[in-house]
Amino acid sequence: MRLPRLTGPVLSGLHCFLIAADQMSFTRAAEVLCLTQSAVSHKIKNLEESLGVQLFIRQPRKLTLTEEGKRLQAVVAHNFGDIAHEIRDLKTLELSGDFNIAVPPTFAQTWLLPRLKHFIDKYPALRFHLRTRNELVDFQTETFDCAIYFGHGKYPGLHSEKLMDESMLPVCSHEYAVSHDLYGKPEKLSACLLLHDAAPWARAGRNDEWQYWAQRHGVVLPEAGCTFDRSDLALQAAERGIGVAMGRLSFIAEQLDTERLVAPFEMSVLSPLSYYIVYRREMASSPRIEAFLDWLKVEIKTSS
């Protein structure tokens, strides 16, 4: 007997047959495959003609596998399963080698690093290389796979996808709040020392975050202040009673829970900027970036 050639229509028919045999219904198989019931019936009929055997006994409101159909179902299910596992293994092989990412310093230290073990444990063959920087990456000359930006999401020639929004509010130590009579009195900020992140995002001014918050709450700010090139340094200074820092909620949850920092007035504001993952458009189908992005989304959902 001459074996049928495994052409595209035959392979498509085998897949359709496997779904129909599993569902025992052409109608339900059509729903799974996003086809019409008549299309499924047509594919099965063509397959039966190609194989020269009847696979189903068709009765009103009932579908039954023939003995030949049962044998074919067992073989196809086994081999399709092997194919699926092999594809998964091939995908895993691609998740190896060096993975280079640029991340803002405070985001790396306070949000990413505490969660990073989960990603590294999940993809042990991937060599993760993290570099922190406030400046934007030059993807034309630098070898980063992707970057996380705190920004507006518009980067010409690059693909960007929003990860999460950010809110911010003033924070300080409890002792500083008491000594400056800050609780419930935002007007008292005028007599405080403000602690600025000098580079909260690329090309930002040293007091942009404070000014944005103050304008939305109608608060007058003092001109004097200290600047730091990283937000976490400003927050550490606030913990030590030096002054009042502008805290991003994704960074300060633990300090607020443990009361190492306090918010003397519950006057938060949604930041005009958000966190984005950014990479070259031609890297959109990169298994490494897809895996990292999927992991980030799970972590963000878990922490929200």
Side-chain angles (χ1 to χ4, degrees), residues 6 18 51 68 75 187 244 254:
L6 293 180
L18 190 60
L51 300 179
E68 293 84 356
V75 172
E187 67 276 7
V244 186
E254 182 183 353

Side-chain angles (χ1 to χ4, degrees), residues 17 20-21 26 44 48 54-58 63-66:
F17 160 74
F26 287 172
I44 299 297
E48 289 176 325
Q54 184 179 357
L55 301 173
F56 289 100
I57 299 172
R58 298 160 175 83
L63 201 62
T64 307
L65 282 169
T66 64

Side-chain angles (χ1 to χ4, degrees), residues 163-181:
L163 296 173
M164 61 183 180
D165 292 319
E166 181 64 277
S167 295
M168 53 193 189
L169 79 170
V171 292
C172 60
S173 69
H174 169 68
E175 293 73 18
Y176 192 92
V178 170
S179 65
H180 289 77
D181 193 25

Side-chain angles (χ1 to χ4, degrees), residues 24-244:
M24 275 301 165
S25 166
F26 287 172
T27 301
R28 290 195 296 271
E31 293 174 357
V32 172
L33 295 166
C34 297
L35 298 172
T36 64
Q37 189 271 346
S38 61
V40 170
S41 180
H42 184 69
K43 280 178 175 286
I44 299 297
K45 183 179 179 181
N46 286 345
L47 179 63
E48 289 176 325
E49 291 176 353
S50 297
L51 300 179
V53 295
Q54 184 179 357
L55 301 173
F56 289 100
I57 299 172
R58 298 160 175 83
Q59 297 173 319
R61 301 181 180 277
K62 187 178 181 182
L63 201 62
T64 307
L65 282 169
T66 64
E67 288 304 315
E68 293 84 356
K70 291 177 182 178
R71 290 178 59 187
L72 185 63
Q73 180 192 26
V75 172
V76 172
H78 176 75
N79 285 279
F80 270 45
D82 286 346
I83 291 171
H85 285 300
E86 189 64 27
I87 290 173
R88 181 201 63 191
D89 291 342
L90 288 172
K91 196 80 169 177
T92 302
L93 287 175
E94 291 181 308
L95 291 171
S96 61
D98 296 314
F99 183 57
N100 301 287
I101 177 171
V103 182
T106 303
F107 183 89
Q109 179 173 329
T110 62
W111 194 94
L112 183 59
L113 193 60
R115 297 168 170 82
L116 190 57
K117 184 177 185 298
H118 302 158
F119 181 77
I120 292 175
D121 286 348
K122 189 173 183 179
Y123 302 105
L126 202 59
R127 294 188 295 273
F128 192 91
H129 303 293
L130 175 66
R131 298 294 180 267
T132 63
R133 60 196 298 174
N134 287 313
E135 300 81 14
L136 300 183
V137 171
D138 183 350
F139 282 97
Q140 298 299 318
T141 61
E142 299 181 273
T143 58
F144 287 104
D145 292 276
C146 62
I148 292 177
Y149 290 164
F150 184 56
H152 47 60
K154 298 176 182 178
Y155 307 102
L158 300 172
H159 175 83
S160 66
E161 182 172 341
K162 182 189 283 190
L163 296 173
M164 61 183 180
D165 292 319
E166 181 64 277
S167 295
M168 53 193 189
L169 79 170
V171 292
C172 60
S173 69
H174 169 68
E175 293 73 18
Y176 192 92
V178 170
S179 65
H180 289 77
D181 193 25
L182 282 179
Y183 283 108
K185 301 174 182 177
E187 67 276 7
K188 296 284 188 174
L189 277 175
S190 59
C192 294
L193 180 66
L194 299 190
L195 309 175
H196 299 274
D197 178 358
W201 54 82
R203 305 187 183 96
R206 68 178 188 177
N207 62 349
D208 281 3
E209 278 190 312
W210 269 108
Q211 288 296 336
Y212 183 84
W213 176 86
Q215 288 169 7
R216 272 139 192 82
H217 289 294
V219 177
V220 177
L221 299 177
E223 293 186 6
C226 295
T227 65
F228 302 84
D229 64 353
R230 286 168 31 188
S231 180
D232 58 301
L233 294 178
L235 292 171
Q236 288 179 35
E239 278 190 49
R240 286 161 174 73
I242 295 175
V244 186

Side-chain angles (χ1 to χ4, degrees), residues 265-281:
F265 16 86
E266 294 294 333
M267 297 166 61
S268 64
V269 63
L270 184 67
S271 172
L273 305 179
S274 302
Y275 297 99
Y276 291 85
I277 185 168
V278 181
Y279 46 86
R280 293 184 294 274
R281 287 173 178 166

